[in-house]
């Protein structure tokens, strides 16, 4: 849409659709303008540090999965005012991790999913399956559950992945049944720029399709598709997206938590 005022053109970029569950991802899903993601899925907002803190006020955020959700944890840790990491005496990269902000009552957890998992150092007692972790969350309007389940599954058959996702699906259905106000977000897998027999973006795309289809009929589940956010940026594709991409992913996530 183009609106002309006094000889000047004002361009409405992206979409004004409110971020919510049930939205589909078009192709293209959006574009970058000066390193800011303009989504065609929903109205993604730009959050400064103060707005991030206000959005997460009185929230408990559970980030489950792999190192890409840990990147989200680290970004929030650096950008939400007064959010401090607690010393849980766990490996810095292996976790589990926890950060709190007392004034606004914000708690953020990060925990890796269960085996198979490739981390350099991790206590086996801290490895929980995503389905088991979700089963232990009471839920409600203050709870935000985010999980991703892709990068460490590219070495295993698709049938094994379907079996694991089915267990997570069962736990999510139970969570939304006992606490329908809970925000549940699935972060898709991202491109890694790898196209060999050991780790292939083509296979990751198939896992994305399986995950999306198995949760398509569950009301209240948000599928946050970051595939095109990593594939179309000028930074070199990596299993760990660059800081600019992570910042845009987190702001898209917050746009679902606090939609405009």
């Amino acid at each position: 849409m183009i609106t002309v005022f006094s000889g000047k053109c004002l361009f409405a970029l992206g979409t004004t659709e409110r971020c919510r569950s049930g939205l589909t991802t078009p192709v293209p899903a959006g574009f970058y303008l000066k390193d800011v993601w303009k989504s065609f899925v929903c109205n993604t907002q730009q959050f400064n540090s103060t707005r991030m803190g206000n959005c997460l006020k009185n929230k408990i955020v559970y980030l489950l999965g792999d190192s890409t959700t840990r990147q989200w944890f680290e970004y929030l840790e650096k950008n939400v005012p007064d959010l401090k990491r607690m010393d849980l005496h766990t490996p810095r990269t292996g976790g589990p991790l926890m950060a709190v902000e007392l004034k606004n009552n914000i708690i953020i957890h990060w925990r890796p999913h269960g085996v198979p998992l490739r981390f350099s150092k991790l206590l086996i007692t801290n490895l929980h399956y995503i389905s088991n972790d979700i089963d232990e969350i009471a839920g409600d309007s203050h709870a935000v559950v985010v999980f991703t389940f892709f990068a460490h599954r590219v070495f295993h058959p698709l049938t094994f992945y379907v079996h694991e996702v089915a267990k997570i699906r069962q736990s999510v259905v139970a969570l939304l049944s006992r606490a329908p106000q809970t925000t549940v977000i699935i972060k898709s897998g991202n491109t890694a720029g790898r196209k060999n027999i050991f780790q292939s973006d083509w296979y990751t795309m198939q896992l994305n399709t399986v995950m999306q289809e198995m949760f398509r009929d569950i009301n209240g589940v948000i599928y946050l598709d970051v595939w095109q956010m990593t594939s179309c940026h000028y930074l070199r594709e990596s299993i760990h997206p660059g800081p600019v991409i992570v910042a845009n992913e987190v702001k898209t996530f917050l746009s679902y938590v606090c939609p405009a």
Side-chain angles (χ1 to χ4, degrees), residues 61-242:
V61 181
Y62 302 89
L63 300 173
L64 311 174
D66 55 35
S67 52
T68 62
T69 46
R70 190 187 70 228
Q71 286 182 285
W72 286 22
F73 178 94
E74 292 166 346
Y75 178 85
L76 291 169
E77 179 188 10
K78 292 177 182 177
N79 289 276
V80 175
D82 301 318
L83 184 67
K84 303 298 182 184
R85 184 184 299 205
M86 305 297 291
D87 185 1
L88 302 182
H89 304 285
T90 56
R92 188 170 185 83
T93 58
L97 307 175
M98 177 181 177
V100 300
E101 196 272 88
L102 297 179
K103 181 180 178 181
N104 288 311
N105 192 30
I106 301 170
I107 303 175
I108 300 178
H109 298 275
W110 175 78
R111 179 182 288 276
H113 60 62
V115 293
L117 186 70
R118 295 194 309 162
F119 275 179
S120 59
K121 181 179 180 182
L122 193 64
L123 296 174
I124 191 66
T125 52
N126 286 328
L127 277 179
H128 299 177
Y129 291 110
I130 289 177
S131 55
N132 292 345
D133 275 333
I134 293 175
D135 286 339
E136 295 180 359
I137 297 172
D140 211 342
S141 58
H142 67 273
V144 180
V145 179
V146 181
F147 67 88
T148 190
F149 192 62
F150 300 94
H152 296 263
R153 291 301 184 269
V154 296
F155 309 101
H156 303 276
L158 195 60
T159 50
F160 175 77
Y161 183 74
V162 170
H163 174 72
E164 292 293 305
V165 172
K167 292 192 293 185
I168 297 173
R169 185 185 187 279
Q170 185 177 16
S171 296
V172 169
V173 169
L175 171 62
L176 292 176
S177 177
R178 66 179 175 267
Q181 298 302 314
T182 307
T183 300
V184 178
I185 298 176
I186 303 171
K187 175 191 168 293
S188 79
N190 56 265
T191 56
R194 298 182 182 180
K195 300 172 179 62
N196 55 54
I197 61 173
F198 298 107
Q199 190 162 0
S200 165
D201 284 353
W202 169 242
Y203 189 59
T204 305
M205 181 183 287
Q206 294 180 59
L207 301 185
N208 276 342
T209 301
V210 169
M211 178 70 79
Q212 192 168 15
E213 290 301 318
M214 290 184 69
F215 280 87
R216 185 179 297 277
D217 63 337
I218 303 178
N219 292 329
V221 173
I222 297 162
Y223 187 82
L224 202 168
D225 195 337
V226 302
W227 185 265
Q228 295 180 58
M229 295 179 71
T230 57
S231 65
C232 74
H233 197 270
Y234 59 79
L235 288 178
R236 184 176 181 178
E237 290 177 308
S238 171
I239 191 64
H240 298 115

